[in-house]
Amino acid sequence: MGNREKIIRGAIELMNARGSAVGTSALAEHLGISPGNLYYHFRNREAIVAEILTRCADDLHAILDVSDQSEISPERFASCYVGGVRVLFEYRFLFSSALELVSSDASLTAAYRKFSETSVGQLKLALSLARAVAASERALTDDDARRFCQNMWLIWTGWPRYAQVNLGRDMDQTDQMECLRHLTLLIEPYVTPAFFQAVSEQAVQQFAQPPKTLA
Amino acid sequence: MGNREKIIRGAIELMNARGSAVGTSALAEHLGISPGNLYYHFRNREAIVAEILTRCADDLHAILDVSDQSEISPERFASCYVGGVRVLFEYRFLFSSALELVSSDASLTAAYRKFSETSVGQLKLALSLARAVAASERALTDDDARRFCQNMWLIWTGWPRYAQVNLGRDMDQTDQMECLRHLTLLIEPYVTPAFFQAVSEQAVQQFAQPPKTLA
DNA sequence: CGAAAATTAGAGCGTTTACTCTAGTAGAGG
DNA sequence: CCTCTACTAGAGTAAACGCTCTAATTTTCG
């Protein structure tokens, strides 16, 4: 693994632990390389964050993409949010320090907004396909469906920070499972019991398996 | 209004807009006072944030306190979360920049955790009292009730950042109303239609009125 | 008024920041 | 062996940081 890759991974690790404000010297020291070395691989500090954001967006969008489906299975539905929890935990500082990131750079702002907009849109599509299957008795207007997906995004991206900051957790598998439970609770009233049961079982099962994309 | 009060308000204003990372010189310039003046009124930069956190906690806890009630009216229930939205919007940077705040100082961490713990506890009490009234058909285990209140906290504290960062809003009354709608959507499945209807009407009505505590 | 106290301004301190620049190493191809 | 390219180290820069200090000003009160 080259230093470029080490820098990215080290930055994620350190920023997840201490917030996006970690400096270049702290990062270099953490990695055991010289501060100047960073600037051979990246134009500036912000370029590191930008690449991390891109990776996160790519990972998440690949998981949430259900545009090829006309109807969504409980298995696929579960994989959306089990996979989502994994990705959002891995890159959690992006959401914990969102205000700092966005107010520091204009191009990051645009990328960040596009990212969240696309994700919420994908969630909405998944929900509509799932609701077609679920045929729940509880109706949602179009505006409320958007709000529901935004709520889901808020819990999804907010829980890691909540667990870390408010509860002082150390961010292990247990915390990811708890995040899943929070999302489950949110979804439950809006799908049929049968669909919900199937999704829950699938979620637990998929969560027990190691993620696919890890080499 | 003395400079001490001006500093607090200016800090809230500036940090809400740009994140908690605003420096002492930027703050002084924003207020039209000298940087050194800050240190007459406050021991150090962190003391300013600590006082803001205390104020926020006091304001919110006063609004959420239902410990004197044995049963909660729709009016009181609505005032909890209408008032809560107001407070959390006013101090929104505390939640947007929580990771940065907490990782910078140990005593702030303790205060922040106590704050959120108490708030979620108060929410849980309000919910249990409301559910006694509402007698909904949808049961919640104790763990799920906690998760529900944590979800509420996440949306409550997360929405301002979402609106500001992800949607690029300018944080006016409309955004607070939208936050209310998000919370409403969360609550709806867990109370009876009659209670929900009463709470919704009360919420709209209370929201239209100016806040009581403003002198 | 006049003295004491409270408040303010602003220069300046040491430290840290993101970043640049130059000297130098490691390995591949000829 | 030599050279070229990819990469690394580390000293050094200007600016910004939180903060201290002193002198001046305003307010308070006998």
Side-chain angles (χ1 to χ4, degrees), chain A residues 105-132:
Chain A
D105 185 84
S107 69
L108 266 182
T109 310
Y112 192 87
R113 285 187 186 158
K114 181 152 195 166
F115 169 36
S116 84
E117 195 183 333
T118 306
S119 304
V120 172
Q122 287 178 318
L123 280 178
K124 208 171 158 189
L125 179 59
L127 183 72
S128 69
L129 294 175
R131 282 174 51 76

Side-chain angles (χ1 to χ4, degrees), chain B residues 11-27:
Chain B
I12 294 173
E13 194 180 332
L14 216 61
M15 289 182 178
N16 274 340
R18 290 202 251 151
S20 72
V22 288
T24 51
S25 49
L27 177 56

Side-chain angles (χ1 to χ4, degrees), chain A residues 67-79:
Chain A
S67 58
D68 60 328
Q69 321 255 320
S70 63
E71 196 174 287
I72 200 167
S73 66
E75 184 178 353
R76 188 78 189 77
F77 192 75
S79 83

